[in-house]
Amino acid sequence: GENVEQHPSTLSVQEGDSAVIKCTYSDSASNYFPWYKQELGKRPQLIIDIRSNVGEKKDQRIAVTLNKTAKHFSLHITETQPEDSAVYFCAAREGYALNFGKGTSLLVTP
Amino acid sequence: EAGVTQFPSHSVIEKGQTVTLRCDPISGHDNLYWYRRVMGKEIKFLLHFVKESKQDESGMPNNRFLAERTGGTYSTLKVQPAELEDSGVYFCASSQMRADTQYFGPGTRLTVL
């Protein structure tokens, strides 16, 4: 089955800096890659996603890039703010079930 | 629009007891998924319903777990008898179509003592 690796497991940045989280996947048939943000005590929420026919997608301070050949995708957050502090999960989907990475705990310090 | 809801938010039970978790998907969402996150590990798929039919239950750990979705609305996940390794956070998610965004509930934190 699909195996998703996510790095780093923890990331600490200063407010205003950029943060990058990287994921790799194993199943070349995967065609949909969402990113979820989970704040403490809250539900995972979709923040951005990308499909396999697109190489990059942006939404304000958040961007995701996909390299299908290398089977990796990354989340980029620019101008980080304290409210970006959360656990971020990447996922890959081939059929309908999402296969998640282990998560990255991002801390943005003022 | 109301989101996915789950009940209870927390459950603490002893090994050998039975627990039933409930998920109410977003109204009109035919697809319902159960996932589980064991401490420190990734969120793992358990099973998928389309309306009342189980499409894939390949992620269910063993036959102590039983999921139902009678009537194609809410779903229940029963663990009987519970074991220590069943502790974790159980998430439910729903989507309108299979290829659509999956919206997650807040999860049920299950602790088996």
Side-chain angles (χ1 to χ4, degrees):
Chain A
E2 175 66 277
N3 182 44
V4 178
E5 298 283 339
Q6 182 172 349
H7 298 280
S9 57
T10 60
L11 179 59
S12 182
V13 300
Q14 286 207 311
E15 182 177 1
D17 287 349
S18 294
V20 180
I21 302 171
K22 299 183 178 182
C23 289
T24 60
Y25 61 99
S26 60
D27 190 344
S28 57
S30 290
N31 56 18
Y32 173 67
F33 307 90
W35 287 87
Y36 285 83
K37 173 185 180 182
Q38 187 179 21
E39 296 176 75
L40 193 62
K42 297 191 175 180
R43 70 190 67 207
Q45 291 206 302
L46 179 76
I47 55 170
I48 196 166
D49 57 11
I50 191 166
R51 297 187 187 271
S52 59
N53 58 348
V54 176
E56 183 176 2
K57 184 176 178 181
K58 284 185 181 179
D59 182 3
Q60 299 183 337
R61 297 185 296 107
I62 294 173
V64 57
T65 59
L66 171 65
N67 183 327
K68 285 192 324 181
T69 303
K71 288 190 274 189
H72 66 70
F73 56 113
S74 300
L75 178 71
H76 304 252
I77 306 174
T78 58
E79 300 171 27
T80 54
Q81 301 166 3
E83 51 265 38
D84 294 329
S85 297
V87 178
Y88 292 80
F89 294 96
C90 65
R93 185 180 72 194
E94 179 266 325
Y96 42 79
L98 295 174
N99 296 283
F100 285 89
K102 289 188 178 181
T104 296
S105 180
L106 173 64
L107 177 64
V108 181
T109 54
Chain B
E1 175 183 85
V4 177
T5 57
Q6 293 186 244
F7 183 83
S9 56
H10 294 83
S11 181
V12 180
I13 61 173
E14 293 193 349
K15 176 182 170 180
Q17 289 187 321
T18 297
V19 63
T20 299
L21 314 181
R22 173 172 169 144
C23 168
D24 286 77
I26 293 172
S27 178
H29 282 194
D30 287 340
N31 291 269
L32 186 149
Y33 313 82
W34 282 98
Y35 292 88
R36 175 174 78 169
R37 188 182 191 205
V38 172
M39 178 71 77
K41 303 213 169 173
E42 66 272 20
I43 301 171
K44 281 204 160 182
F45 168 78
L46 296 178
L47 85 158
H48 170 218
F49 284 98
V50 176
K51 297 186 180 178
E52 67 276 7
S53 299
K54 289 177 190 174
Q55 294 298 295
D56 181 357
E57 50 184 332
S58 61
M60 296 286 261
N62 50 61
N63 59 10
R64 295 185 293 103
F65 289 75
L66 176 64
E68 294 180 323
R69 194 182 181 195
T70 307
T73 53
Y74 71 90
S75 174
T76 58
L77 179 64
K78 182 193 288 189
V79 184
Q80 179 182 32
E83 297 288 346
L84 300 179
E85 63 264 24
D86 300 334
S87 295
V89 181
Y90 290 76
F91 290 104
C92 174
S94 72
S95 67
Q96 192 161 29
M97 306 291 287
R98 288 189 192 193
D100 287 349
T101 297
Q102 293 184 22
Y103 295 91
F104 278 73
T108 293
R109 181 174 294 278
L110 174 65
T111 302
V112 183
L113 302 176

